[in-house]
């Protein structure tokens, strides 16, 4: 009995939610109102208060049509046509009958576009399907969704067209077209505020931010970052994902203070303890690179090692990541930071051990061409221990590799996510640290 009463109270409270602006978007606010009114109209008509139900249905129909709530329009137009028939209004019956058929056709098109998009995205995640098959399926889906959109021009169909375009361009590695489609979607939503929601804007802004990082458009990614996570509900999964990429953009741009702000915002949120372990790990890595920037004196804080107390370096170094092909990019980020911390700790034996581990890891998981830049930097790190941390010898031996590294600075691959701090910046900062250490030894 108690369970039943709680359930009934919950249902009643849902029908009394205060979904209002500015906390909620105009689009979401009116969708809730139309849904609630539709239930009220149905209930009144079912309980023999047809006149009152009709008035609510007609008012709600006008709002639902303005905001293109096709599913609600189908139900309301059918309800109105039935009521017109009962009341003997032939003209109104025909009007609402035609509207019902029209909205049914639109709803079918919208559902079909949803199915085509979902099927393409699900298939793209399968390791057994070839790129050619994905592209072929994507082009068929895009053609069909575009055909529906050209006929009906509804909000849902436009969004699904943008989504399938972006997904297809990603598979085809057509990055300029990818960014153009994101910008077109963002412009469409911004120019139609009554149809827009922050989360929908955030969806396309996040895709754009990730591609900007991948294509090394670091300054634009840095500028875009804050608008991305502010599009999502604070503390939600999408908010954490977008805040993470915004923090990466700050690290890459060199604004370590802003990255620190984002880190504090993430780990200080009341929802942080409830996040999955993978989220905790990513923010620990972000914190590691903020600390690394401080210790290498490439951040604007210019703090030195003894004063850095909010990050347990020894515990982080001891946590060798579990070998996994799925996590190979994240693992390389961790292993590179380990080498840097060990050098800063003057644990040169530990550096040699960790580099031997990296050599095995890279040979096993990172043979593809897209990892050339990472492999080049790791070879440069290997020469640190190979040449007994002699800075002059390291510079001479790495001269050719450093030139190769600089030539790949604008390389466009997902592997650029390995660089939380630009490799060139890390390399020069490590050399500067060792040179300072050599001077200290000479003065003893």
């Amino acid at each position: 009995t108690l369970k039943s009463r709680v359930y009934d109270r919950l249902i009643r409270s849902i029908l009394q939610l205060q979904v209002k602006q500015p906390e909620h978007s105009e689009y979401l606010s009116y969708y809730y109102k139309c849904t609630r009114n539709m239930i009220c109209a149905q209930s009144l008509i079912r309980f023999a208060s047809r006149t009152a139900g009709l008035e609510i249905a007609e008012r709600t129909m006008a709002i639902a049509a303005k905001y293109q709530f096709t599913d609600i329009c189908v139900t309301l137009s059918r309800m109105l046509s039935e009521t017109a028939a009962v009341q003997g209004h032939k003209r109104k019956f025909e009007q609402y009958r035609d509207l019902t058929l029209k909205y049914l056709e639109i709803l079918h098109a919208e559902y079909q576009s949803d199915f085509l998009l979902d099927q393409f995205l699900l298939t793209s995640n399968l390791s057994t399907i070839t790129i050619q098959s994905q592209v072929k399926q994507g082009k068929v889906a895009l053609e069909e969704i575009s055909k529906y959109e050209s006929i009906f021009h509804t909000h849902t169909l436009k969004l699904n067209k943008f989504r399938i375009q972006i997904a297809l361009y990603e598979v085809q590695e057509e990055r300029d077209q990818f960014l153009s489609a994101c910008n077109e979607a963002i412009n469409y939503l911004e120019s139609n505020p009554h149809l827009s929601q922050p989360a929908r804007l955030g969806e396309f802004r996040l895709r754009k931010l990730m591609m900007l990082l991948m294509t090394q458009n670091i300054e634009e990614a840095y500028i875009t970052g804050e608008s991305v996570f502010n599009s999502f509900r604070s503390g939600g999964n999408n908010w954490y994902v977008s805040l993470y990429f915004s923090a990466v953009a700050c690290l890459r741009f060199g604004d370590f203070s802003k990255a620190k702000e984002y880190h504090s915002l993430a780990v200080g949120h009341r929802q942080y303890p409830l996040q999955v372990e993978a989220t905790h790990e990513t923010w620990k890595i972000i914190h590691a690179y903020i600390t690394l920037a401080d210790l290498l004196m490439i951040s604007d804080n210019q703090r030195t090692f003894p004063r850095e107390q909010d990050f347990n370096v020894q515990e982080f170094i001891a946590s060798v990541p579990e070998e996994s092909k799925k996590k190979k990019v994240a693992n390389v980020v961790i292993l590179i930071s380990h080498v840097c911390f060990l050098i800063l700790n003057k644990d040169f034996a530990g550096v040699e051990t960790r580099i031997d581990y990296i050599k095995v890891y890279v040979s096993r998981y990172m043979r593809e061409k897209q990892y050339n830049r990472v492999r080049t930097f790791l070879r440069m790190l290997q020469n640190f221990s190979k040449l007994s941390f002699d800075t002059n010898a390291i510079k001479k031996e790495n001269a050719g590799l450093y030139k190769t590294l600089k030539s790949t600075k604008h390389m466009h691959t997902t592997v650029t996510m390995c660089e939380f701090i630009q490799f060139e910046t890390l390399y020069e900062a490590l050399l500067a640290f060792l040179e300072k250490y050599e001077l200290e030894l000479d003065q003893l």
Side-chain angles (χ1 to χ4, degrees), residues 129-255:
I129 189 170
T130 64
I131 298 295
Q132 292 81 359
S133 298
Q134 288 181 50
V135 171
K136 184 178 179 181
Q137 183 184 356
K139 286 181 176 179
V140 170
L142 176 58
E143 184 179 352
E144 192 164 348
I145 292 173
S146 298
K147 181 183 70 177
Y148 288 135
E149 193 275 328
S150 66
I151 297 170
F152 300 114
H153 310 291
T154 70
H155 178 62
T156 298
L157 288 170
K158 286 182 186 296
L159 290 184
N160 282 347
K161 182 180 176 181
F162 289 132
R163 288 169 179 141
I164 195 71
Q165 284 177 330
I166 290 167
L168 181 59
Y169 293 145
E170 185 174 26
V171 171
Q172 293 176 308
E173 297 187 355
E174 295 177 349
R175 296 183 174 92
D176 290 338
Q177 291 91 328
F178 182 104
L179 289 170
S180 294
C182 287
N183 286 330
E184 191 178 347
I186 292 166
N187 291 336
Y188 162 72
L189 288 168
E190 289 178 339
S191 60
N192 292 277
H194 70 292
L195 298 176
S196 181
Q197 299 177 75
R200 293 289 71 75
L201 272 167
E203 172 189 344
F204 295 106
R205 285 171 177 167
L206 178 57
R207 297 303 302 274
K208 178 182 177 180
L209 174 61
M210 293 169 69
M211 182 55 72
L212 288 171
L213 285 171
M214 195 184 302
T215 54
Q216 302 279 30
N217 292 312
I218 304 302
E219 186 173 353
E220 190 176 353
Y222 170 73
I223 294 168
T224 304
E226 194 157 343
S227 68
V228 178
F229 70 81
N230 281 332
S231 300
F232 296 108
R233 181 178 58 82
S234 172
N237 182 62
N238 288 331
W239 183 80
Y240 267 104
V241 171
S242 56
L243 187 60
Y244 164 75
F245 283 109
S246 298
V248 172
C250 289
L251 288 172
R252 295 288 300 281
F253 185 72
D255 189 344

Side-chain angles (χ1 to χ4, degrees), residues 82-97:
E82 181 187 19
T83 301
V86 170
Q87 294 178 341
H89 299 307
K90 184 173 182 294
R91 184 180 295 179
K92 279 192 173 183
F93 164 75
E94 291 174 348
Q95 175 192 346
Y96 288 122
R97 177 202 61 193

